[in-house]
Amino acid sequence: MVRITAFAAGAAMLLAAAPLHSATAPPDLAPVLARWDADPHPDLRGAVVLRDGRRVAERYFNGAGADDLHDMRSAGKSVTALLVGIARDRGAIRSVDDPVARYWQAAKGSAVGAVALRDVLTMRSGLAAFDEDPASPGNEDRMDEAADPRAFVRAIPAADPPGTRYRYNSATAYVAGVVVAEATGQRMDAFAKAQLFAPLGITRWRWDADAAGVTKGQGNLWLTPRGMAAIGEMVRRGGIAGGKRVVGRGWIAEMLAPRVAIAADDPYADHYGYFWYRKTHAIRGLPITVSFASGNGGNKIYVAPACRMVVAITSAAYGRGYGQRRSEAMLKAVLDAEVAAGGCRG
């Protein structure tokens, strides 16, 4: 377990957005994305690249188009984290140190009810829930098959003391969504529409609900690549979009802070924050730190403040390992072109 109590310096680096003055013209990134026209797997869908908030490259593959909605799977967890922050900014959630049961009264007396929201958001709830183990009592497939997922989650037993062990699972992200709904008195999709999507100009979206009609905080949010990129750009700018504050800057820094070291468990990330990942890539000898939302199949929202860039990728390679490798390769190709042109700082 890694606890981060002083992260201001790292957060400041992540949120920096000051432009660089390079002697080299910004690179043309269209040919970079075009390399994946020859990808042998017919499940890549789209990629959008923003530099300083402007769309500088965009490409669609295998018949997909700019207006197509795409299930970004677990990358939706990262959007749920943003909604927890908005709810806290507005006073509906008092503190992430509060237990789940403070907001979800029905969870009182259950194992999850006693867990602090902070440990929910960092996948350290201590519940017997592990998505990579089909036999786990809180496995996501079991939850999805339950007639009442809320009752299912309340019945998951504890396995470890909260805050002591990272275990990736969808059950706690579902709980975070329930907390947002209970704390705000709205369905989470309605809260997201009013407080996040509308301010970002996102009009095309869909967020699936479970058998009980509860918005799935663990994922199954459908967006276009441009919509995903808009979320990434708002995060890059520290919670600002269109000159207006959407999410508190403090929450963005807190959310992205590297709270749990996960490199031993995840080859694509160094640390985990509040449902957001973080990794530092060595690009032409320059360390470039990237925060990102990640979903099954290679669905990504990459935020690279050192390059003033956002890269959004949609992919339907669900359950196939090459999807994650391909998306990381696309990101690194974009970063390589930027670093080569002098457009990034370490």
Side-chain angles (χ1 to χ4, degrees), residues 91-236:
I93 291 175
R94 184 181 65 96
S95 169
V96 293
D97 292 321
D98 288 340
V100 166
R102 179 183 177 94
Y103 305 98
W104 186 16
Q105 296 294 320
K108 188 174 182 179
S110 68
V112 72
V115 178
L117 289 175
R118 186 183 305 279
D119 293 327
V120 166
L121 292 165
T122 55
M123 297 287 184
R124 296 181 298 177
S125 67
L127 296 182
F130 186 34
D131 287 351
E132 294 182 20
D133 179 7
S136 171
N139 177 271
E140 66 174 328
D141 292 334
R142 294 184 178 213
M143 182 175 67
D144 288 342
E145 294 166 0
D148 186 350
R150 292 171 299 185
F152 175 90
V153 169
R154 293 196 302 269
I156 299 174
D160 303 289
T164 62
R165 188 179 189 186
Y166 171 86
R167 281 290 197 188
Y168 185 87
N169 68 92
S170 291
T172 46
Y174 176 81
V175 169
V178 172
V179 167
V180 169
E182 293 289 327
T184 63
Q186 302 179 60
R187 280 178 50 121
M188 190 170 68
D189 57 349
F191 185 71
K193 178 180 180 180
Q195 304 297 334
L196 182 63
F197 300 149
L200 295 182
I202 296 173
T203 58
R204 288 187 54 74
W205 62 278
R206 186 180 101 212
W207 205 333
D208 292 344
D210 65 16
V214 176
T215 307
K216 299 173 76 171
Q218 71 271 33
N220 297 124
L221 169 60
W222 298 66
L223 290 171
T224 66
R226 291 179 182 179
M228 293 166 63
I231 290 172
E233 180 63 13
M234 182 272 295
V235 170
R236 187 186 76 85

Side-chain angles (χ1 to χ4, degrees), residues 33-57:
L33 297 185
R35 297 174 196 170
W36 276 268
D37 288 350
D39 188 86
H41 304 291
D43 44 26
L44 182 60
R45 293 293 179 260
V48 171
V49 181
L50 307 182
R51 183 192 296 121
D52 290 322
R54 295 184 293 274
R55 197 162 58 245
V56 294

